[in-house]
Amino acid sequence: MNACIRAIVRQSIYMHHEVWGIVRGYLGLIEGHRRRLGLGSVADLIKTGGTFLRTARCLPFLNEDGQEMGRDRLCDWGIDGLIVVGGDGSLRGALALHGLGVPVIGIPGSIDNDIFGTDYAIGFDTAINNVTRSMDQIRDTASSHERVFVIEVMGHTSGAIAVASGVAGGAETILIPEVPVNYEAMLTRLKHSRARGKRHSLIVVAEGAAKGEEVANFIKSKTGYEVRLSVLGHTQRGGPPTAFDRILASQLGTFAVQLLTDGRSGVMVGRQRGELTTTSLDIAVNTNKGPDLELAQLAAILAI
Ligand code: F6P
């Protein structure tokens, strides 16, 4: 997010625009909190996770009254165009503002990578690298102590983090919400791998598929193996962004400024197959983007 804001600020100033940052997203818009952003305001941010503008869940923005208050605030401030960076809720808010006549461009930012219209949302690559690093570390204990580890990862209703990090971290089984959980298949796989001499297993569970604790207890009760649970939680989200995320954020941020300057509105920018693309916000928020099921299949083959 910070790398993206940096790109928006620098590209805007390069194009002679005045830039303001809204503090705490839609909440700050309703409450009237903004900051003038100059070149120096984004110095050193490229390597920092999170967003220095801060963010907040904003329930009032889910309804028309809140959205109209936001539109009115932008009018009062004399803002000509808005760039919104975020996940599903943020982009739905952007679509509403577009409907109310505000020129707006959306940028996908979510570790869940569940936004249609981009191969990667900002933050996803950093999250899967964080998870993979944790899996490497957990693997040392798993193999030394000959244990099964159940690792619960985030993703809300999406299995994208689980699939990508499961492949990168060498998981034996990956449970995701998009595929019905098959406990028997998981047990069979575990028993087969033990029978062929494997002494440890890593099982990745997407939070939307099952509770890690229940999976761990199930395995323990059915096998008697030594099982541990690791819920990675918010360690997945923070920390320095990967080079991939910094580059993506820089590209999407500058592209959004160019589009807004050209008079475009109501679209989300993305990168698909290496190309910068636009998708109508309406389509972006109303189209389902599943995880990479071929990758999930690959994980199952590689874990035999
Ligand atoms: O949408 C991003 C996400 O990290 C989800 O993967 C997770 O379920 C949720 O946010 C956690 O939200 P919070 O930080 O509000 O607990």
PDB file of all heavy atoms in Angstrom, residues 8 26 80-86 90-91 94-95 97-98 102-108 252-270 277-279 281:
ATOM      1  N   ILE A   8       1.661   7.038  -6.531  1.00  0.00           N
ATOM      2  CA  ILE A   8       0.569   7.970  -6.880  1.00  0.00           C
ATOM      3  C   ILE A   8       1.014   9.416  -6.639  1.00  0.00           C
ATOM      4  O   ILE A   8       0.826  10.297  -7.486  1.00  0.00           O
ATOM      5  CB  ILE A   8      -0.703   7.641  -6.049  1.00  0.00           C
ATOM      6  CG1 ILE A   8      -1.282   6.296  -6.479  1.00  0.00           C
ATOM      7  CG2 ILE A   8      -1.742   8.749  -6.184  1.00  0.00           C
ATOM      8  CD1 ILE A   8      -2.335   5.717  -5.531  1.00  0.00           C
ATOM      9  N   TYR A  26     -12.367   5.644   3.968  1.00  0.00           N
ATOM     10  CA  TYR A  26     -13.708   6.247   3.889  1.00  0.00           C
ATOM     11  C   TYR A  26     -14.130   6.889   5.214  1.00  0.00           C
ATOM     12  O   TYR A  26     -14.908   7.837   5.217  1.00  0.00           O
ATOM     13  CB  TYR A  26     -14.734   5.199   3.449  1.00  0.00           C
ATOM     14  CG  TYR A  26     -14.511   4.713   2.030  1.00  0.00           C
ATOM     15  CD1 TYR A  26     -14.443   3.360   1.739  1.00  0.00           C
ATOM     16  CD2 TYR A  26     -14.370   5.618   0.987  1.00  0.00           C
ATOM     17  CE1 TYR A  26     -14.236   2.915   0.435  1.00  0.00           C
ATOM     18  CE2 TYR A  26     -14.160   5.186  -0.316  1.00  0.00           C
ATOM     19  CZ  TYR A  26     -14.094   3.830  -0.582  1.00  0.00           C
ATOM     20  OH  TYR A  26     -13.884   3.401  -1.864  1.00  0.00           O
ATOM     21  N   ASP A  80     -10.683  16.830  -7.711  1.00  0.00           N
ATOM     22  CA  ASP A  80     -11.113  16.526  -9.096  1.00  0.00           C
ATOM     23  C   ASP A  80     -11.178  15.036  -9.385  1.00  0.00           C
ATOM     24  O   ASP A  80     -11.847  14.612 -10.335  1.00  0.00           O
ATOM     25  CB  ASP A  80     -10.122  17.133 -10.104  1.00  0.00           C
ATOM     26  CG  ASP A  80      -9.998  18.629  -9.917  1.00  0.00           C
ATOM     27  OD1 ASP A  80     -11.035  19.292  -9.800  1.00  0.00           O
ATOM     28  OD2 ASP A  80      -8.841  19.124  -9.878  1.00  0.00           O
ATOM     29  N   GLY A  81     -10.454  14.251  -8.615  1.00  0.00           N
ATOM     30  CA  GLY A  81     -10.443  12.818  -8.903  1.00  0.00           C
ATOM     31  C   GLY A  81      -9.903  12.060  -7.707  1.00  0.00           C
ATOM     32  O   GLY A  81      -9.090  12.581  -6.939  1.00  0.00           O
ATOM     33  N   LEU A  82     -10.364  10.820  -7.571  1.00  0.00           N
ATOM     34  CA  LEU A  82     -10.008  10.015  -6.396  1.00  0.00           C
ATOM     35  C   LEU A  82      -9.396   8.685  -6.844  1.00  0.00           C
ATOM     36  O   LEU A  82      -9.884   8.064  -7.794  1.00  0.00           O
ATOM     37  CB  LEU A  82     -11.293   9.746  -5.590  1.00  0.00           C
ATOM     38  CG  LEU A  82     -11.171   8.947  -4.298  1.00  0.00           C
ATOM     39  CD1 LEU A  82     -10.476   9.779  -3.215  1.00  0.00           C
ATOM     40  CD2 LEU A  82     -12.561   8.517  -3.808  1.00  0.00           C
ATOM     41  N   ILE A  83      -8.361   8.260  -6.136  1.00  0.00           N
ATOM     42  CA  ILE A  83      -7.807   6.916  -6.363  1.00  0.00           C
ATOM     43  C   ILE A  83      -8.005   6.130  -5.071  1.00  0.00           C
ATOM     44  O   ILE A  83      -7.630   6.596  -3.993  1.00  0.00           O
ATOM     45  CB  ILE A  83      -6.313   6.979  -6.745  1.00  0.00           C
ATOM     46  CG1 ILE A  83      -6.166   7.716  -8.086  1.00  0.00           C
ATOM     47  CG2 ILE A  83      -5.716   5.575  -6.835  1.00  0.00           C
ATOM     48  CD1 ILE A  83      -4.731   7.945  -8.522  1.00  0.00           C
ATOM     49  N   VAL A  84      -8.621   4.968  -5.195  1.00  0.00           N
ATOM     50  CA  VAL A  84      -8.908   4.128  -4.025  1.00  0.00           C
ATOM     51  C   VAL A  84      -8.084   2.851  -4.130  1.00  0.00           C
ATOM     52  O   VAL A  84      -8.147   2.148  -5.140  1.00  0.00           O
ATOM     53  CB  VAL A  84     -10.410   3.756  -3.982  1.00  0.00           C
ATOM     54  CG1 VAL A  84     -10.694   2.788  -2.843  1.00  0.00           C
ATOM     55  CG2 VAL A  84     -11.270   5.011  -3.844  1.00  0.00           C
ATOM     56  N   VAL A  85      -7.316   2.555  -3.096  1.00  0.00           N
ATOM     57  CA  VAL A  85      -6.522   1.320  -3.075  1.00  0.00           C
ATOM     58  C   VAL A  85      -7.110   0.396  -2.016  1.00  0.00           C
ATOM     59  O   VAL A  85      -7.247   0.799  -0.866  1.00  0.00           O
ATOM     60  CB  VAL A  85      -5.044   1.603  -2.696  1.00  0.00           C
ATOM     61  CG1 VAL A  85      -4.181   0.365  -2.940  1.00  0.00           C
ATOM     62  CG2 VAL A  85      -4.497   2.796  -3.436  1.00  0.00           C
ATOM     63  N   GLY A  86      -7.477  -0.811  -2.394  1.00  0.00           N
ATOM     64  CA  GLY A  86      -7.997  -1.721  -1.376  1.00  0.00           C
ATOM     65  C   GLY A  86      -8.652  -2.952  -1.961  1.00  0.00           C
ATOM     66  O   GLY A  86      -8.587  -3.204  -3.175  1.00  0.00           O
ATOM     67  N   SER A  90     -13.436  -1.686  -0.370  1.00  0.00           N
ATOM     68  CA  SER A  90     -12.926  -0.395  -0.849  1.00  0.00           C
ATOM     69  C   SER A  90     -13.353  -0.160  -2.289  1.00  0.00           C
ATOM     70  O   SER A  90     -13.760   0.942  -2.665  1.00  0.00           O
ATOM     71  CB  SER A  90     -11.397  -0.370  -0.784  1.00  0.00           C
ATOM     72  OG  SER A  90     -10.956  -0.719   0.495  1.00  0.00           O
ATOM     73  N   LEU A  91     -13.280  -1.208  -3.090  1.00  0.00           N
ATOM     74  CA  LEU A  91     -13.618  -1.057  -4.514  1.00  0.00           C
ATOM     75  C   LEU A  91     -15.124  -0.883  -4.700  1.00  0.00           C
ATOM     76  O   LEU A  91     -15.564  -0.161  -5.600  1.00  0.00           O
ATOM     77  CB  LEU A  91     -13.080  -2.249  -5.314  1.00  0.00           C
ATOM     78  CG  LEU A  91     -11.541  -2.366  -5.296  1.00  0.00           C
ATOM     79  CD1 LEU A  91     -11.087  -3.663  -5.944  1.00  0.00           C
ATOM     80  CD2 LEU A  91     -10.880  -1.171  -5.994  1.00  0.00           C
ATOM     81  N   ALA A  94     -15.682   2.636  -4.082  1.00  0.00           N
ATOM     82  CA  ALA A  94     -15.228   3.413  -5.245  1.00  0.00           C
ATOM     83  C   ALA A  94     -16.290   3.405  -6.341  1.00  0.00           C
ATOM     84  O   ALA A  94     -16.575   4.428  -6.974  1.00  0.00           O
ATOM     85  CB  ALA A  94     -13.910   2.828  -5.770  1.00  0.00           C
ATOM     86  N   LEU A  95     -16.900   2.234  -6.539  1.00  0.00           N
ATOM     87  CA  LEU A  95     -17.955   2.111  -7.561  1.00  0.00           C
ATOM     88  C   LEU A  95     -19.142   3.014  -7.199  1.00  0.00           C
ATOM     89  O   LEU A  95     -19.712   3.697  -8.062  1.00  0.00           O
ATOM     90  CB  LEU A  95     -18.393   0.646  -7.662  1.00  0.00           C
ATOM     91  CG  LEU A  95     -19.542   0.347  -8.616  1.00  0.00           C
ATOM     92  CD1 LEU A  95     -19.186   0.732 -10.055  1.00  0.00           C
ATOM     93  CD2 LEU A  95     -19.929  -1.140  -8.561  1.00  0.00           C
ATOM     94  N   LEU A  97     -19.074   5.763  -5.417  1.00  0.00           N
ATOM     95  CA  LEU A  97     -18.706   7.166  -5.635  1.00  0.00           C
ATOM     96  C   LEU A  97     -18.721   7.502  -7.128  1.00  0.00           C
ATOM     97  O   LEU A  97     -19.153   8.591  -7.529  1.00  0.00           O
ATOM     98  CB  LEU A  97     -17.317   7.449  -5.045  1.00  0.00           C
ATOM     99  CG  LEU A  97     -17.272   7.532  -3.516  1.00  0.00           C
ATOM    100  CD1 LEU A  97     -15.829   7.632  -3.031  1.00  0.00           C
ATOM    101  CD2 LEU A  97     -18.079   8.729  -3.004  1.00  0.00           C
ATOM    102  N   HIS A  98     -18.275   6.568  -7.933  1.00  0.00           N
ATOM    103  CA  HIS A  98     -18.321   6.759  -9.392  1.00  0.00           C
ATOM    104  C   HIS A  98     -19.774   6.988  -9.828  1.00  0.00           C
ATOM    105  O   HIS A  98     -20.073   7.890 -10.619  1.00  0.00           O
ATOM    106  CB  HIS A  98     -17.717   5.540 -10.083  1.00  0.00           C
ATOM    107  CG  HIS A  98     -17.957   5.493 -11.557  1.00  0.00           C
ATOM    108  ND1 HIS A  98     -17.355   6.360 -12.442  1.00  0.00           N
ATOM    109  CD2 HIS A  98     -18.764   4.684 -12.309  1.00  0.00           C
ATOM    110  CE1 HIS A  98     -17.770   6.096 -13.675  1.00  0.00           C
ATOM    111  NE2 HIS A  98     -18.622   5.085 -13.623  1.00  0.00           N
ATOM    112  N   VAL A 102     -18.359  11.038  -8.987  1.00  0.00           N
ATOM    113  CA  VAL A 102     -16.962  11.343  -8.636  1.00  0.00           C
ATOM    114  C   VAL A 102     -16.038  10.597  -9.610  1.00  0.00           C
ATOM    115  O   VAL A 102     -16.180   9.381  -9.768  1.00  0.00           O
ATOM    116  CB  VAL A 102     -16.641  10.880  -7.192  1.00  0.00           C
ATOM    117  CG1 VAL A 102     -15.169  11.128  -6.860  1.00  0.00           C
ATOM    118  CG2 VAL A 102     -17.554  11.556  -6.191  1.00  0.00           C
ATOM    119  N   PRO A 103     -15.106  11.281 -10.263  1.00  0.00           N
ATOM    120  CA  PRO A 103     -14.127  10.560 -11.079  1.00  0.00           C
ATOM    121  C   PRO A 103     -13.250   9.690 -10.178  1.00  0.00           C
ATOM    122  O   PRO A 103     -12.607  10.209  -9.261  1.00  0.00           O
ATOM    123  CB  PRO A 103     -13.302  11.682 -11.739  1.00  0.00           C
ATOM    124  CG  PRO A 103     -14.186  12.897 -11.654  1.00  0.00           C
ATOM    125  CD  PRO A 103     -14.938  12.739 -10.364  1.00  0.00           C
ATOM    126  N   VAL A 104     -13.252   8.402 -10.406  1.00  0.00           N
ATOM    127  CA  VAL A 104     -12.541   7.510  -9.479  1.00  0.00           C
ATOM    128  C   VAL A 104     -11.906   6.328 -10.210  1.00  0.00           C
ATOM    129  O   VAL A 104     -12.484   5.767 -11.139  1.00  0.00           O
ATOM    130  CB  VAL A 104     -13.506   7.033  -8.341  1.00  0.00           C
ATOM    131  CG1 VAL A 104     -14.704   6.318  -8.881  1.00  0.00           C
ATOM    132  CG2 VAL A 104     -12.805   6.160  -7.329  1.00  0.00           C
ATOM    133  N   ILE A 105     -10.694   5.995  -9.770  1.00  0.00           N
ATOM    134  CA  ILE A 105      -9.985   4.814 -10.294  1.00  0.00           C
ATOM    135  C   ILE A 105      -9.679   3.915  -9.094  1.00  0.00           C
ATOM    136  O   ILE A 105      -9.245   4.390  -8.043  1.00  0.00           O
ATOM    137  CB  ILE A 105      -8.635   5.214 -10.962  1.00  0.00           C
ATOM    138  CG1 ILE A 105      -8.843   6.237 -12.088  1.00  0.00           C
ATOM    139  CG2 ILE A 105      -7.888   3.968 -11.473  1.00  0.00           C
ATOM    140  CD1 ILE A 105      -9.459   5.718 -13.362  1.00  0.00           C
ATOM    141  N   GLY A 106      -9.886   2.607  -9.255  1.00  0.00           N
ATOM    142  CA  GLY A 106      -9.590   1.655  -8.186  1.00  0.00           C
ATOM    143  C   GLY A 106      -8.273   0.932  -8.439  1.00  0.00           C
ATOM    144  O   GLY A 106      -7.885   0.715  -9.594  1.00  0.00           O
ATOM    145  N   ILE A 107      -7.615   0.586  -7.347  1.00  0.00           N
ATOM    146  CA  ILE A 107      -6.377  -0.221  -7.433  1.00  0.00           C
ATOM    147  C   ILE A 107      -6.567  -1.415  -6.492  1.00  0.00           C
ATOM    148  O   ILE A 107      -6.881  -1.231  -5.309  1.00  0.00           O
ATOM    149  CB  ILE A 107      -5.135   0.598  -7.014  1.00  0.00           C
ATOM    150  CG1 ILE A 107      -4.968   1.822  -7.931  1.00  0.00           C
ATOM    151  CG2 ILE A 107      -3.885  -0.276  -7.043  1.00  0.00           C
ATOM    152  CD1 ILE A 107      -3.726   2.654  -7.632  1.00  0.00           C
ATOM    153  N   PRO A 108      -6.377  -2.646  -6.985  1.00  0.00           N
ATOM    154  CA  PRO A 108      -6.598  -3.813  -6.130  1.00  0.00           C
ATOM    155  C   PRO A 108      -5.475  -4.007  -5.107  1.00  0.00           C
ATOM    156  O   PRO A 108      -4.323  -4.177  -5.473  1.00  0.00           O
ATOM    157  CB  PRO A 108      -6.625  -4.986  -7.128  1.00  0.00           C
ATOM    158  CG  PRO A 108      -5.788  -4.507  -8.282  1.00  0.00           C
ATOM    159  CD  PRO A 108      -5.963  -3.023  -8.353  1.00  0.00           C
ATOM    160  N   LEU A 252       0.922   0.114 -10.854  1.00  0.00           N
ATOM    161  CA  LEU A 252      -0.522   0.364 -10.774  1.00  0.00           C
ATOM    162  C   LEU A 252      -0.802   1.790 -10.301  1.00  0.00           C
ATOM    163  O   LEU A 252      -1.735   2.439 -10.782  1.00  0.00           O
ATOM    164  CB  LEU A 252      -1.198  -0.661  -9.853  1.00  0.00           C
ATOM    165  CG  LEU A 252      -1.128  -2.129 -10.310  1.00  0.00           C
ATOM    166  CD1 LEU A 252      -1.960  -3.022  -9.391  1.00  0.00           C
ATOM    167  CD2 LEU A 252      -1.593  -2.295 -11.755  1.00  0.00           C
ATOM    168  N   GLY A 253       0.014   2.278  -9.376  1.00  0.00           N
ATOM    169  CA  GLY A 253      -0.180   3.648  -8.874  1.00  0.00           C
ATOM    170  C   GLY A 253       0.009   4.679  -9.972  1.00  0.00           C
ATOM    171  O   GLY A 253      -0.822   5.579 -10.158  1.00  0.00           O
ATOM    172  N   THR A 254       1.081   4.547 -10.739  1.00  0.00           N
ATOM    173  CA  THR A 254       1.335   5.540 -11.801  1.00  0.00           C
ATOM    174  C   THR A 254       0.287   5.412 -12.910  1.00  0.00           C
ATOM    175  O   THR A 254      -0.199   6.428 -13.427  1.00  0.00           O
ATOM    176  CB  THR A 254       2.743   5.382 -12.410  1.00  0.00           C
ATOM    177  OG1 THR A 254       2.922   4.031 -12.801  1.00  0.00           O
ATOM    178  CG2 THR A 254       3.823   5.735 -11.437  1.00  0.00           C
ATOM    179  N   PHE A 255      -0.098   4.198 -13.221  1.00  0.00           N
ATOM    180  CA  PHE A 255      -1.113   3.980 -14.274  1.00  0.00           C
ATOM    181  C   PHE A 255      -2.438   4.634 -13.875  1.00  0.00           C
ATOM    182  O   PHE A 255      -3.104   5.286 -14.685  1.00  0.00           O
ATOM    183  CB  PHE A 255      -1.272   2.477 -14.494  1.00  0.00           C
ATOM    184  CG  PHE A 255      -2.109   2.090 -15.682  1.00  0.00           C
ATOM    185  CD1 PHE A 255      -2.072   2.823 -16.871  1.00  0.00           C
ATOM    186  CD2 PHE A 255      -2.933   0.964 -15.629  1.00  0.00           C
ATOM    187  CE1 PHE A 255      -2.854   2.445 -17.969  1.00  0.00           C
ATOM    188  CE2 PHE A 255      -3.707   0.588 -16.718  1.00  0.00           C
ATOM    189  CZ  PHE A 255      -3.672   1.331 -17.889  1.00  0.00           C
ATOM    190  N   ALA A 256      -2.803   4.487 -12.612  1.00  0.00           N
ATOM    191  CA  ALA A 256      -4.066   5.072 -12.134  1.00  0.00           C
ATOM    192  C   ALA A 256      -4.053   6.589 -12.296  1.00  0.00           C
ATOM    193  O   ALA A 256      -5.047   7.190 -12.718  1.00  0.00           O
ATOM    194  CB  ALA A 256      -4.297   4.683 -10.669  1.00  0.00           C
ATOM    195  N   VAL A 257      -2.928   7.223 -11.978  1.00  0.00           N
ATOM    196  CA  VAL A 257      -2.829   8.688 -12.113  1.00  0.00           C
ATOM    197  C   VAL A 257      -2.970   9.083 -13.583  1.00  0.00           C
ATOM    198  O   VAL A 257      -3.675  10.044 -13.931  1.00  0.00           O
ATOM    199  CB  VAL A 257      -1.487   9.195 -11.539  1.00  0.00           C
ATOM    200  CG1 VAL A 257      -1.305  10.692 -11.820  1.00  0.00           C
ATOM    201  CG2 VAL A 257      -1.417   8.926 -10.044  1.00  0.00           C
ATOM    202  N   GLN A 258      -2.314   8.332 -14.458  1.00  0.00           N
ATOM    203  CA  GLN A 258      -2.395   8.647 -15.895  1.00  0.00           C
ATOM    204  C   GLN A 258      -3.838   8.547 -16.389  1.00  0.00           C
ATOM    205  O   GLN A 258      -4.324   9.404 -17.127  1.00  0.00           O
ATOM    206  CB  GLN A 258      -1.493   7.705 -16.698  1.00  0.00           C
ATOM    207  CG  GLN A 258      -0.015   8.026 -16.539  1.00  0.00           C
ATOM    208  CD  GLN A 258       0.888   6.839 -16.879  1.00  0.00           C
ATOM    209  OE1 GLN A 258       0.423   5.745 -17.174  1.00  0.00           O
ATOM    210  NE2 GLN A 258       2.189   7.071 -16.814  1.00  0.00           N
ATOM    211  N   LEU A 259      -4.530   7.498 -15.952  1.00  0.00           N
ATOM    212  CA  LEU A 259      -5.919   7.309 -16.402  1.00  0.00           C
ATOM    213  C   LEU A 259      -6.827   8.424 -15.896  1.00  0.00           C
ATOM    214  O   LEU A 259      -7.639   8.973 -16.656  1.00  0.00           O
ATOM    215  CB  LEU A 259      -6.453   5.957 -15.911  1.00  0.00           C
ATOM    216  CG  LEU A 259      -5.846   4.709 -16.547  1.00  0.00           C
ATOM    217  CD1 LEU A 259      -6.350   3.466 -15.847  1.00  0.00           C
ATOM    218  CD2 LEU A 259      -6.175   4.640 -18.035  1.00  0.00           C
ATOM    219  N   LEU A 260      -6.663   8.765 -14.627  1.00  0.00           N
ATOM    220  CA  LEU A 260      -7.496   9.824 -14.050  1.00  0.00           C
ATOM    221  C   LEU A 260      -7.239  11.146 -14.791  1.00  0.00           C
ATOM    222  O   LEU A 260      -8.170  11.891 -15.111  1.00  0.00           O
ATOM    223  CB  LEU A 260      -7.142   9.960 -12.558  1.00  0.00           C
ATOM    224  CG  LEU A 260      -8.198  10.457 -11.584  1.00  0.00           C
ATOM    225  CD1 LEU A 260      -9.523   9.722 -11.740  1.00  0.00           C
ATOM    226  CD2 LEU A 260      -7.690  10.299 -10.148  1.00  0.00           C
ATOM    227  N   THR A 261      -5.982  11.400 -15.092  1.00  0.00           N
ATOM    228  CA  THR A 261      -5.613  12.624 -15.825  1.00  0.00           C
ATOM    229  C   THR A 261      -6.243  12.630 -17.216  1.00  0.00           C
ATOM    230  O   THR A 261      -6.648  13.669 -17.731  1.00  0.00           O
ATOM    231  CB  THR A 261      -4.071  12.723 -15.938  1.00  0.00           C
ATOM    232  OG1 THR A 261      -3.510  12.552 -14.642  1.00  0.00           O
ATOM    233  CG2 THR A 261      -3.640  14.074 -16.498  1.00  0.00           C
ATOM    234  N   ASP A 262      -6.352  11.443 -17.799  1.00  0.00           N
ATOM    235  CA  ASP A 262      -6.958  11.326 -19.141  1.00  0.00           C
ATOM    236  C   ASP A 262      -8.486  11.374 -19.091  1.00  0.00           C
ATOM    237  O   ASP A 262      -9.151  11.182 -20.112  1.00  0.00           O
ATOM    238  CB  ASP A 262      -6.560   9.985 -19.799  1.00  0.00           C
ATOM    239  CG  ASP A 262      -5.113   9.991 -20.243  1.00  0.00           C
ATOM    240  OD1 ASP A 262      -4.519  11.091 -20.272  1.00  0.00           O
ATOM    241  OD2 ASP A 262      -4.578   8.908 -20.539  1.00  0.00           O
ATOM    242  N   GLY A 263      -9.054  11.517 -17.910  1.00  0.00           N
ATOM    243  CA  GLY A 263     -10.509  11.643 -17.801  1.00  0.00           C
ATOM    244  C   GLY A 263     -11.244  10.322 -17.632  1.00  0.00           C
ATOM    245  O   GLY A 263     -12.467  10.277 -17.716  1.00  0.00           O
ATOM    246  N   ARG A 264     -10.490   9.236 -17.346  1.00  0.00           N
ATOM    247  CA  ARG A 264     -11.168   7.945 -17.142  1.00  0.00           C
ATOM    248  C   ARG A 264     -11.732   7.869 -15.722  1.00  0.00           C
ATOM    249  O   ARG A 264     -11.222   8.497 -14.801  1.00  0.00           O
ATOM    250  CB  ARG A 264     -10.174   6.782 -17.345  1.00  0.00           C
ATOM    251  CG  ARG A 264      -9.606   6.656 -18.734  1.00  0.00           C
ATOM    252  CD  ARG A 264     -10.592   6.055 -19.718  1.00  0.00           C
ATOM    253  NE  ARG A 264     -11.043   4.712 -19.347  1.00  0.00           N
ATOM    254  CZ  ARG A 264     -10.367   3.591 -19.616  1.00  0.00           C
ATOM    255  NH1 ARG A 264      -9.222   3.650 -20.237  1.00  0.00           N
ATOM    256  NH2 ARG A 264     -10.868   2.407 -19.271  1.00  0.00           N
ATOM    257  N   SER A 265     -12.788   7.082 -15.571  1.00  0.00           N
ATOM    258  CA  SER A 265     -13.388   6.880 -14.243  1.00  0.00           C
ATOM    259  C   SER A 265     -14.131   5.549 -14.228  1.00  0.00           C
ATOM    260  O   SER A 265     -14.492   5.007 -15.279  1.00  0.00           O
ATOM    261  CB  SER A 265     -14.376   8.014 -13.945  1.00  0.00           C
ATOM    262  OG  SER A 265     -15.018   7.791 -12.692  1.00  0.00           O
ATOM    263  N   GLY A 266     -14.358   5.015 -13.039  1.00  0.00           N
ATOM    264  CA  GLY A 266     -15.172   3.808 -12.898  1.00  0.00           C
ATOM    265  C   GLY A 266     -14.452   2.535 -13.295  1.00  0.00           C
ATOM    266  O   GLY A 266     -15.096   1.512 -13.538  1.00  0.00           O
ATOM    267  N   VAL A 267     -13.117   2.586 -13.352  1.00  0.00           N
ATOM    268  CA  VAL A 267     -12.380   1.367 -13.687  1.00  0.00           C
ATOM    269  C   VAL A 267     -11.369   1.022 -12.599  1.00  0.00           C
ATOM    270  O   VAL A 267     -10.963   1.878 -11.814  1.00  0.00           O
ATOM    271  CB  VAL A 267     -11.622   1.476 -15.046  1.00  0.00           C
ATOM    272  CG1 VAL A 267     -12.589   1.597 -16.197  1.00  0.00           C
ATOM    273  CG2 VAL A 267     -10.621   2.610 -15.034  1.00  0.00           C
ATOM    274  N   MET A 268     -11.000  -0.250 -12.587  1.00  0.00           N
ATOM    275  CA  MET A 268      -9.933  -0.713 -11.704  1.00  0.00           C
ATOM    276  C   MET A 268      -8.734  -1.066 -12.582  1.00  0.00           C
ATOM    277  O   MET A 268      -8.902  -1.697 -13.632  1.00  0.00           O
ATOM    278  CB  MET A 268     -10.391  -1.965 -10.946  1.00  0.00           C
ATOM    279  CG  MET A 268      -9.387  -2.445  -9.918  1.00  0.00           C
ATOM    280  SD  MET A 268      -9.755  -4.127  -9.365  1.00  0.00           S
ATOM    281  CE  MET A 268      -9.051  -5.114 -10.695  1.00  0.00           C
ATOM    282  N   VAL A 269      -7.546  -0.639 -12.153  1.00  0.00           N
ATOM    283  CA  VAL A 269      -6.356  -1.031 -12.894  1.00  0.00           C
ATOM    284  C   VAL A 269      -5.893  -2.403 -12.415  1.00  0.00           C
ATOM    285  O   VAL A 269      -6.208  -2.821 -11.299  1.00  0.00           O
ATOM    286  CB  VAL A 269      -5.207   0.002 -12.725  1.00  0.00           C
ATOM    287  CG1 VAL A 269      -5.577   1.328 -13.361  1.00  0.00           C
ATOM    288  CG2 VAL A 269      -4.852   0.193 -11.250  1.00  0.00           C
ATOM    289  N   GLY A 270      -5.163  -3.102 -13.272  1.00  0.00           N
ATOM    290  CA  GLY A 270      -4.646  -4.404 -12.882  1.00  0.00           C
ATOM    291  C   GLY A 270      -3.474  -4.765 -13.777  1.00  0.00           C
ATOM    292  O   GLY A 270      -3.131  -4.006 -14.704  1.00  0.00           O
ATOM    293  N   THR A 277      -3.798  -3.359 -17.354  1.00  0.00           N
ATOM    294  CA  THR A 277      -5.146  -3.445 -17.924  1.00  0.00           C
ATOM    295  C   THR A 277      -6.131  -2.621 -17.085  1.00  0.00           C
ATOM    296  O   THR A 277      -5.835  -2.230 -15.955  1.00  0.00           O
ATOM    297  CB  THR A 277      -5.650  -4.907 -17.920  1.00  0.00           C
ATOM    298  OG1 THR A 277      -5.608  -5.397 -16.571  1.00  0.00           O
ATOM    299  CG2 THR A 277      -4.809  -5.802 -18.803  1.00  0.00           C
ATOM    300  N   THR A 278      -7.313  -2.389 -17.679  1.00  0.00           N
ATOM    301  CA  THR A 278      -8.397  -1.785 -16.902  1.00  0.00           C
ATOM    302  C   THR A 278      -9.608  -2.717 -16.965  1.00  0.00           C
ATOM    303  O   THR A 278      -9.838  -3.380 -17.976  1.00  0.00           O
ATOM    304  CB  THR A 278      -8.802  -0.402 -17.458  1.00  0.00           C
ATOM    305  OG1 THR A 278      -9.192  -0.547 -18.823  1.00  0.00           O
ATOM    306  CG2 THR A 278      -7.688   0.604 -17.363  1.00  0.00           C
ATOM    307  N   THR A 279     -10.345  -2.759 -15.877  1.00  0.00           N
ATOM    308  CA  THR A 279     -11.589  -3.540 -15.799  1.00  0.00           C
ATOM    309  C   THR A 279     -12.621  -2.632 -15.149  1.00  0.00           C
ATOM    310  O   THR A 279     -12.287  -1.930 -14.179  1.00  0.00           O
ATOM    311  CB  THR A 279     -11.387  -4.784 -14.894  1.00  0.00           C
ATOM    312  OG1 THR A 279     -10.297  -5.546 -15.413  1.00  0.00           O
ATOM    313  CG2 THR A 279     -12.629  -5.659 -14.832  1.00  0.00           C
ATOM    314  N   LEU A 281     -15.145  -1.216 -12.725  1.00  0.00           N
ATOM    315  CA  LEU A 281     -15.272  -1.520 -11.289  1.00  0.00           C
ATOM    316  C   LEU A 281     -16.454  -2.439 -11.029  1.00  0.00           C
ATOM    317  O   LEU A 281     -16.417  -3.314 -10.172  1.00  0.00           O
ATOM    318  CB  LEU A 281     -15.455  -0.220 -10.500  1.00  0.00           C
ATOM    319  CG  LEU A 281     -14.173   0.519 -10.100  1.00  0.00           C
ATOM    320  CD1 LEU A 281     -14.511   1.900  -9.559  1.00  0.00           C
ATOM    321  CD2 LEU A 281     -13.372  -0.276  -9.078  1.00  0.00           C
TER     322      LEU A 281
END
